[in-house]
Structure formats: structure tokens, C-alpha cells
Amino acid sequence: MTIELKPEQQRVDLAIQSGAYHDTDEVIATALSMLAEDIEDGVVSEARRNEQRFTLAEVEAELRGFDKVK
């Protein structure tokens, strides 16, 4: 299977730089696992679909504020 990521989605290096993950495969596997758990737990609902989403730039800025990435 081939998955095409938008440029802002390709910044998994931030998660790796933070030390939380070893490589891209681990980041993606964890994200998919967390999504599957949310779906199984019923967390993904109408309320969730309407909640605020954050851009990658916003997440990066917050991580920089905590000195988690450079």
C-alpha cells in the first residue's frame, strides 16, 4: 500500500527528534494504533469530528516552547 502524505504531515522527524520515537515507522504505527483504540473505545464521535484541529505549525511552536524540538 502506498500512502501519500501532505508536506505538513511528513514532519514526523519532530517526533523522532523529541526522543519519543526511534524512526518514521514507529511514529506512524503508534499514530494508527492510537486511532484504532479511539475508534474501538467510541471516542471518535460527532463531537470529536467537530472539535478544533491544530496545524503542524501550531504543534511545532508549542513543542519548541517546551524545548522538545529545535
Side-chain angles (χ1 to χ4, degrees):
M1 175 190 331
T2 301
I3 299 173
E4 303 242 354
L5 299 176
K6 297 176 186 175
E8 66 270 14
Q9 294 169 325
Q10 295 177 16
R11 295 298 313 267
V12 296
D13 57 319
L14 293 173
I16 297 166
Q17 289 174 10
S18 75
Y21 301 92
H22 294 99
D23 56 34
T24 303
D25 289 341
E26 188 177 3
V27 174
I28 293 171
T30 300
L32 292 173
S33 176
M34 291 172 70
L35 176 60
E37 287 177 18
D38 282 355
I39 292 169
E40 289 173 11
D41 293 343
V43 174
V44 178
S45 64
E46 187 65 34
R48 179 105 189 235
R49 282 185 223 121
N50 294 326
E51 73 183 14
Q52 180 180 2
R53 305 289 182 186
F54 297 97
T55 66
L56 181 59
E58 291 169 326
V59 172
E60 287 177 356
E62 186 162 347
L63 288 172
R64 282 190 186 95
F66 291 118
D67 291 326
K68 296 292 182 184
V69 295
K70 298 178 185 201

